[in-house]
Structure formats: structure tokens, C-alpha cells
């Protein structure tokens, strides 16, 4: 496994410039993104109203007619799927626009590419441009060992989104439809390459050396900041990588981002006992979430205890067999972050078993405290498969034998 890349000097661009460039891209995509959200929301609304009308008939009221069990399952599956689709769009936009200091952590590049595709696919279709993203970035596909890098997922997403929008501008300027392709592949010498290419007019040889210059742009006034590719280059350099622009055979342009690969760290400690892997504490002040999440986890074989407040959770956190704590960030009284800080003081191993859920963007201070404790974070509304995957990973993490949270009650 290659040694971790030492952190190079920070990019020359200020945090304000980075954020302005992100907002510029988001603003450019706002119309098509709003249209993309309206479709799943319209489906959810129509499906829910149809079910309500049908169920009213069964209760003796006026409506469209009785609904069978199979029809009910199909309609609910459609509503759940469209709600998930809308949540993914919102979650990706929140991740992109959120402003926070660069992080250095393990990042799965297929996940980054999937988020970029989710945000930009409909926007490109608005201009009759297809987005092609081949293996290994299909949803649910396992991330290959070579596709892990060290860095900041948010900044790497900005790199790819800048390149995709740049390609879209080029195709649009040529006056026709086209294709943008993102390809992930293993490169030489322990590196990984992400290629973003288009079938637009290409970049003249005389301009290739200048495209990464600060404030250089070929767009008309008011159509670009001249910072997109300069920021892209600086972020890539900051991650110990390099970026180059090439001609694409036939026509178009190809940008290649090469980053140092980082294989996942192998776990050497013994796995936890079976009961510890299957015991979950849910802390959430929403009764509907406690009920639905408890039902879901029990269906998958977990022992679940659900409480409303952090204060109620305190005595339960002394259980050494506890595998995972799924905790809302915003709770009445003591917040989830405050609970984490107190747990961390007495049982750091248990603090690393927290999975926090939030329906809003967290402050950088809260995110920092979550990271420092080794805890995880998931966005509400839950993606069920992602939630189960994260709970499984946390519950199967080797447990430190020296960590004994029996004194937690007194400390908290």
C-alpha cells in the first residue's frame, strides 16, 4: 500500500473564492435542478392523493375505488423511490454548497462521481447532452481498493463538477447536442485517474497552456469567473495530484485528473461478539422516526431500544454490549453533539459507535466534533441501504478491550 501523501501547501485561492465559484456553478444549474426536483415531488403528491382517495372508499366515503394489496405495495414503493430520489438531489446540493475547511480523510472516488452525476445529469439533459458514467461507479457497486484516496470529498466533487460544467459550456458553444463521459481507472505507480471528456469543439493548442491560469476565460463577459479551472488545478495539486488537458481523438477535449491511490486499512483486531453487533440504540425526538427505524432494524435482525432524549439515553449507554447508537443531532434539552462530547470523555470507543442523523446542514464545529470522535454522519431522510450499510460497518468494527464505559453514568 502506498504511503499516505503528505499535505502540500494550501491552494492559493481563498475560502471566499472557492465558495463563490461553487455558488456560481450552483446558480447556473438552479433552473434545471428545480425542474428535476419537481418531477419526483409531483409523483409523490399524486401517489399519496390517489392512495388517500382509495382508502377513503374502503372506509365508506367518496373516492375512486378500492385498492388491492398489490396496488398498495406498488404505489408505496413508487412513493418511497421518488422520495429517495428527491432526497439525493437535495443532499448532493447541500454537500456541494456547504462551506467548511478542507478535510483529510479516506475518500471513495466512485461515491464522489455518483454525487456529481446525480447533481448534473438532468442539467446536461436540459441541453441535450448525455452523461455517461461507466463502471465501477454504479450504485451499490463495491469500491475497489485502488479507488480510495486521501483528501476532501467536497473539494474533489467541486473539481469534477467544474470539469463537467466546463464541458457543457464547450458543447453548447458549438451549437449542438453531445456527450460528456466520466471514467475512473487505475493508473500507474499506485495512482488513480479520473477522465472527464466531451465531444465538443476541443481546445486550440495555443490555449492549452493558459486554461488553468487565474481569471483566464474564453467566455463572453458575465458568463464565467475565470477561476473554475484555476481552482480545479489548485485543489488537485493540494491533493498531491496533477491535472492535464488533452485532445480527444476525433473531436472534443479530455481532462485527466491523477491522484495518489490509498488502499483501505485492514482491520487486525478480533470482531465483536454477536450480541454487540446486533444491538442498536436509537435516540430521536420524532416518534414516527423511532417507530419506523425500530421496525426496519428489527426486520434485519437487530435488537433495538428507542428513546426520545439524550437524558434517557445516558443510563443505556453503560451497556458494554451496545453495537451502534443512531442519534439525532438536534434533541430537546441536551443535544446529540453534547451527548457525544460527554461520552467521549469517559468511553472514546463507544463515542466512535455513534451514527448521527441530521436533516439540516451542520455547523463546522459540530462536524469537527463528530469527526474527532470517530463517529459517522448520515443525512435525513435516510437512504435505507446506506443506513443499513453504515450500521453494519460500525457494529462489526473491532472493539477495544481496554474501553469499559461502565463509569459513563457518573461522568455524564
Amino acid at each position: 500500500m502506498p504511503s499516505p501523501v503528505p499535505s502540500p501547501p494550501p491552494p492559493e485561492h481563498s475560502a471566499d473564492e472557492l465558495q463563490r465559484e461553487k455558488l456560481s456553478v450552483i446558480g447556473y444549474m438552479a433552473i434545471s435542478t428545480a425542474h428535476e426536483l419537481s418531477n419526483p415531488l409531483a409523483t409523490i403528491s399524486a401517489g399519496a392523493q390517489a392512495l388517500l382517495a382509495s382508502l377513503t372508499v374502503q372506509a365508506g366515503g367518496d373516492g375512486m375505488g378500492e385498492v388491492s394489496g398489490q396496488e398498495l405495495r406498488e404505489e408505496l414503493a413508487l412513493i418511497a423511490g421518488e422520495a429517495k430520489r428527491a432526497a439525493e438531489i437535495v443532499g448532493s446540493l447541500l454537500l456541494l454548497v456547504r462551506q467548511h475547511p478542507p478535510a483529510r480523510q479516506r475518500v471513495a472516488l466512485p461515491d464522489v462521481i455518483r454525487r456529481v452525476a446525480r447533481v448534473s445529469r438532468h442539467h446536461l439533459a436540459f441541453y441535450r447532452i448525455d452523461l455517461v458514467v461507466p463502471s465501477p461507479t454504479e450504485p451499490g457497486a463495491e469500491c475497489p481498493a485502488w479507488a480510495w484516496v486521501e483528501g476532501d470529498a467536497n473539494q474533489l466533487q467541486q473539481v469534477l463538477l467544474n470539469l463537467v460544467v466546463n464541458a457543457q459550456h464547450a458543447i453548447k458553444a458549438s451549437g449542438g447536442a453531445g456527450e460528456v463521459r466520466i471514467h475512473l481507472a487505475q493508473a500507474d505507480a499506485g495512482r488513480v485517474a479520473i477522465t472527464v471528456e466531451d465531444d465538443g469543439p476541443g481546445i486550440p493548442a495555443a490555449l492549452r497552456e493558459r486554461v488553468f491560469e487565474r481569471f483566464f476565460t474564453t467566455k463572453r463577459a458575465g458568463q464565467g469567473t475565470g477561476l473554475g479551472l484555476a481552482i480545479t488545478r489548485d485543489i488537485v495539486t493540494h491533493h498531491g495530484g496533477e491535472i492535464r488537458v488533452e485532445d480527444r481523438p476525433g473531436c472534443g477535449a479530455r481532462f485527466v485528473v491523477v491522484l495518489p491511490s490509498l488502499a483501505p486499512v485492514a482491520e487486525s483486531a478480533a470482531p465483536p461478539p454477536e450480541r454487540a453487533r446486533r444491538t442498536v440504540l436509537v435516540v430521536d425526538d420524532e416518534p414516527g422516526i423511532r417507530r419506523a427505524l425500530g421496525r426496519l432494524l428489527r426486520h434485519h435482525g437487530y435488537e433495538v431500544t428507542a428513546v426520545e432524549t439524550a437524558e434517557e439515553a445516558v443510563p443505556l449507554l453503560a451497556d458494554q454490549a451496545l453495537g451502534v447508537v443512531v442519534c439525532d443531532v438536534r434533541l430537546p434539552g441536551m443535544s446529540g453533539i453534547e451527548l457525544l462530547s460527554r461520552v467521549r470523555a469517559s468511553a472514546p470507543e463507544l463515542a466512535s459507535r455513534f451514527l448521527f442523523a441530521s436533516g439540516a446542514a451542520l455547523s463546522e464545529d459540530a462536524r469537527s466534533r463528530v469527526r474527532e470522535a470517530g463517529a459517522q454522519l448520515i443525512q435525513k431522510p435516510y437512504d435505507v441501504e446506506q443506513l443499513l450499510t453504515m450500521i453494519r460497518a460500525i457494529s462489526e468494527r473491532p472493539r477495544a478491550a481496554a474501553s469499559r464505559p461502565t463509569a459513563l453514568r457518573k461522568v455524564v
Side-chain angles (χ1 to χ4, degrees):
M1 182 182 72
S3 300
V5 180
S7 297
E12 63 182 69
H13 299 283
S14 69
D16 286 344
E17 286 179 326
L18 289 168
Q19 187 69 358
R20 280 199 301 273
E21 181 62 24
K22 284 197 288 187
L23 292 174
S24 173
V25 173
I26 287 293
Y28 185 75
M29 300 171 68
I31 294 176
S32 57
T33 300
H35 184 266
E36 185 177 3
L37 273 174
S38 69
N39 287 327
L41 291 175
T43 303
I44 292 169
S45 177
Q49 291 178 66
L51 281 178
L52 284 172
S54 297
L55 293 174
T56 299
V57 168
Q58 296 184 31
D62 296 328
M64 299 186 302
E66 290 191 5
V67 58
S68 69
Q70 179 61 30
E71 290 173 328
L72 179 62
R73 284 190 293 272
E74 291 175 354
E75 198 66 34
L76 288 174
L78 178 61
I79 289 173
E82 292 298 86
K84 176 182 176 182
R85 177 182 165 197
E88 287 175 344
I89 295 168
V90 172
S92 296
L93 288 173
L94 283 174
L95 181 63
L96 176 66
V97 81
R98 184 181 295 124
Q99 186 172 16
H100 60 80
R104 301 295 290 185
Q105 57 191 14
R106 290 174 63 242
V107 176
L109 288 178
D111 290 344
V112 174
I113 294 173
R114 277 193 289 269
R115 286 194 293 269
V116 169
R118 193 180 299 139
V119 171
S120 56
R121 177 167 275 118
H122 186 86
H123 171 74
L124 293 175
F126 192 76
Y127 294 96
R128 297 182 297 131
I129 299 172
D130 294 324
L131 179 63
V132 180
V133 185
S135 178
T137 55
E138 295 94 341
E142 183 177 354
C143 179
W146 52 263
W148 291 86
V149 300
E150 182 184 33
D152 183 283
N154 185 271
Q155 288 193 345
L156 291 173
Q157 180 175 329
Q158 184 177 353
V159 163
L160 297 186
L161 196 55
N162 283 352
L163 294 178
V164 167
V165 170
N166 194 68
Q168 183 261 313
H169 284 160
I171 294 172
K172 180 184 176 183
S174 66
E179 177 183 278
V180 176
R181 177 179 293 264
I182 306 176
H183 183 67
L184 176 66
Q186 191 171 9
D188 60 347
R191 301 191 300 172
V192 58
I194 311 172
T195 303
V196 180
E197 58 185 15
D198 63 71
D199 55 1
I203 301 174
L207 297 181
R208 280 185 211 143
E209 295 299 319
R210 300 198 61 196
V211 293
F212 297 111
E213 288 181 10
R214 187 180 174 94
F215 299 121
F216 175 77
T217 179
T218 58
K219 302 183 183 76
R220 293 195 299 270
Q223 293 190 352
T225 64
L227 287 174
L229 289 178
I231 287 175
T232 296
R233 178 201 58 193
D234 285 346
I235 292 174
V236 172
T237 301
H238 184 55
H239 282 75
E242 60 185 49
I243 182 171
R244 62 180 184 270
V245 59
E246 304 172 348
D247 265 339
R248 185 184 182 192
C251 63
R254 172 186 292 138
F255 286 84
V256 182
V257 175
V258 182
L259 299 167
S261 173
L262 183 64
V265 179
E267 300 283 7
S268 58
E274 177 63 23
R275 181 171 178 266
R277 296 203 303 268
R278 312 302 297 180
T279 306
V280 179
L281 173 62
V282 175
V283 189
D284 200 297
D285 62 326
E286 287 288 338
I289 290 178
R290 292 198 304 274
R291 183 172 59 252
L293 188 52
R295 185 186 303 118
L296 171 70
L297 294 177
R298 291 186 188 99
H299 176 74
H300 286 271
Y302 291 93
E303 295 180 21
V304 181
T305 301
V307 296
E308 183 177 358
T309 66
E311 287 80 4
E312 291 179 89
V314 169
L316 301 174
L317 291 172
D319 183 359
Q320 294 185 54
L322 196 60
V324 183
V325 181
V326 181
C327 185
D328 194 11
V329 173
R330 296 183 178 181
L331 293 167
M334 185 192 307
S335 72
I337 300 299
E338 289 172 331
L339 177 63
L340 175 70
S341 296
R342 298 188 184 193
V343 170
R344 189 182 178 199
S346 61
E349 199 275 339
L350 178 58
S352 70
R353 296 184 174 278
F354 271 67
L355 172 56
F356 280 101
S358 175
L362 296 185
S363 68
E364 179 52 33
D365 176 65
R367 298 179 69 85
S368 176
R369 289 160 77 177
V370 170
R371 287 194 301 266
E372 289 171 0
Q376 301 294 316
L377 183 65
I378 188 171
Q379 190 76 24
K380 286 182 178 181
Y382 307 117
D383 176 293
V384 171
E385 291 304 319
Q386 181 189 17
L387 176 69
L388 291 173
T389 298
M390 295 179 76
I391 288 176
R392 188 180 306 115
I394 295 172
S395 65
E396 294 180 354
R397 186 183 301 157
R399 302 168 71 86
S403 178
R404 301 184 62 84
T406 52
L408 176 65
R409 207 174 307 177
K410 295 179 181 178
V411 174
V412 177

